[in-house]
Amino acid sequence: MPLDPQAKAFLDMNEAAGAPPTSSMTPEENRERTADLGKLAGIPKEIAKIENRMIPVDGGEIGVRLYTPNGLGPFPVFVYFHGGGWVIGNLETVDTLCRNIAHESECLVISVDYRLAPEHKFPVPVEDCYAAVEWAAQHASSLNGDGTKLAIGGDSAGGNLAAVVAQQAKQRGGPPISFQALIYPATQLGGETESYRENGEGYFLTADSMQWFFRQYLNDEEERKSVLASPLLNEDLAGLPPALVITAEYDPLRDEGAMYADKLRQAGVPVEYTCYEGMIHGFFWMAGLMDKGAQAVSQVSSSLRSVFQRL
C-alpha cells in the first residue's frame, strides 16, 4: 500500500522541522526533543481517577501511574510499558494513550516508569518491568483491581519488554498473565530483516536510530543474543499468554513483529496479528494525528475487553 496521507503529512512536518538524526544527539537531547510526543495522542477521555505511586524495585524504586476507569470494579489490570528505545519516553509520553485505553477497555491501567538506559543498562529495564507486574498482581485488590485478570503490553521497546516479561513470568513461576498486547515490538535486537532494508530510512524510525538505541541499552554486542534482550530467540514459547501483535507497514521493526507472531502461533499460542497498511513506527502514539492510530488503540482496548469477558 502507499504511505498513508496522514503518515506522510507527519513525516513532511518532521522533515521541515529539520531535526538532526537521533544518533547525533545525546540521550538528554533526545529526551528533550521528544518531550512533547504525548500531545499527539488526541483528546484525553474521561476516567474516574489518575494516581501516581512509587513502588520498590531492586536497587531503588520507580514510579507507576494508575488509571482507574469509570464503574464499580474490581477491574481487570493492564500493565503498560512505554516505548522509546529503552532511552526516551516516560509516564507523560503515554499519559493520554493510557487514559484512553482505560476508558475504552474498562481496565485498571498501570503505566510503568522503568529506569532508562544508558544510566540503567540491560537488564535493569527488564527487571523493573517484571517487578512492576509482580507488584500489580500482589496489590491489585487494594487498587480496586482483579489480580486474577492480568494483562501486559507495550509499544516498540515497551513491546520488547512486555514479550520478555511474559516469557520470564512463565520461566520464573511468576504472576499468571492472561494476555499480552505487543505493538510493533522489537523482538530481535540487530536482526537483519527485509523491513529494515526497505524502511530503514525516511519513515521516522531509522535503522541508524535503532543501532544507537542498542548501543545505549546493551553493555556489549553479545547481549543481543540473550532472550532477555531478543525474545524471538527463545525456542520455548509454548504456554505463553494469548497475544495481539500489531505492526506497521513502513516500519523497520515490521518483520520481527510478524516473525514473533508466527513463532508464538507455531508454539500453540493464540495470536491475533494485524499489520496496519500505510503506517509508520510510532503511529500508536499519534491517535490525534492518524485515524489508524486511534483504530489501533481501539483494537487493543476491545481485545482486552474480549479476553477478560471470557475469564
Side-chain angles (χ1 to χ4, degrees):
M1 290 283 289
L3 192 62
D4 184 280
Q6 292 175 324
K8 185 176 186 310
F10 169 78
L11 291 173
D12 290 346
M13 179 180 70
N14 209 43
E15 187 177 359
T22 297
S23 60
S24 70
M25 294 192 289
T26 66
E28 293 79 8
E29 288 168 339
N30 276 303
R31 289 167 190 159
E32 189 175 334
R33 180 178 68 156
T34 56
D36 291 336
L37 271 178
K39 295 177 180 175
L40 306 181
I43 298 169
K45 295 182 173 155
E46 184 191 341
I47 59 172
K49 186 170 68 169
I50 299 176
E51 180 186 357
N52 289 333
R53 293 272 187 103
M54 298 300 293
I55 67 169
V57 293
D58 186 27
E61 56 182 9
I62 59 171
V64 295
R65 185 169 292 173
L66 315 175
Y67 298 82
T68 304
N70 298 314
L72 296 177
F75 302 102
V77 178
F78 180 46
V79 182
Y80 195 79
F81 312 126
H82 67 78
W86 309 275
V87 177
I88 61 177
N90 54 36
L91 297 179
E92 299 305 327
T93 320
V94 291
D95 182 69
T96 296
L97 171 66
C98 289
R99 179 197 292 251
N100 292 352
I101 291 174
H103 173 88
E104 290 192 40
S105 68
E106 299 172 359
C107 287
L108 169 67
V109 177
I110 302 178
S111 182
V112 180
D113 203 17
Y114 56 90
R115 289 172 289 181
L116 297 175
E119 297 88 347
H120 302 280
K121 285 181 173 281
F122 174 84
V124 172
V126 172
E127 297 302 335
D128 283 358
C129 291
Y130 189 83
V133 171
E134 286 193 311
W135 182 88
Q138 291 164 4
H139 292 84
S141 58
S142 68
L143 305 170
N144 200 16
D146 182 347
T148 69
K149 295 182 176 181
L150 177 64
I152 63 175
D155 61 276
S156 193
N160 165 278
L161 293 166
V164 171
V165 167
Q167 292 182 6
Q168 289 300 300
K170 183 188 95 165
Q171 184 174 327
R172 303 182 194 183
I177 296 170
S178 305
F179 182 70
Q180 52 182 326
L182 311 177
I183 296 96
Y184 36 74
T187 65
Q188 185 173 5
L189 275 53
E192 291 293 321
T193 61
E194 190 63 33
S195 60
Y196 256 92
R197 290 185 283 274
E198 290 175 359
N199 306 319
E201 273 190 54
Y203 298 107
F204 188 48
L205 177 67
T206 66
D208 179 61
S209 297
M210 285 304 299
Q211 294 303 321
W212 182 85
F213 286 130
F214 298 154
R215 290 195 299 273
Q216 306 308 308
Y217 182 43
L218 301 175
N219 298 283
D220 58 56
E221 285 291 306
E222 197 63 23
E223 288 179 340
R224 293 182 191 229
K225 300 173 187 173
S226 167
V227 296
L228 293 175
S230 296
L232 183 65
L233 300 182
N234 194 330
E235 293 304 326
D236 179 18
L237 303 185
L240 287 177
L244 168 65
V245 181
I246 288 174
T247 59
E249 183 181 8
Y250 290 92
D251 182 354
L253 304 188
R254 180 196 67 208
D255 289 355
E256 62 198 78
M259 290 159 67
Y260 193 62
D262 285 344
K263 196 165 183 178
L264 286 169
R265 201 177 285 116
Q266 289 162 14
V269 177
V271 177
E272 177 185 353
Y273 172 72
T274 305
C275 180
Y276 276 79
E277 294 180 336
M279 281 290 106
I280 58 171
H281 191 87
F283 81 100
F284 191 67
W285 280 9
M286 304 181 195
L289 291 182
M290 301 182 199
D291 294 340
K292 288 184 178 176
Q295 186 182 330
V297 172
S298 293
Q299 182 181 9
V300 169
S301 300
S302 71
S303 294
L304 288 164
R305 278 201 314 275
S306 298
V307 164
F308 291 129
Q309 281 166 2
R310 292 195 296 269
L311 292 179

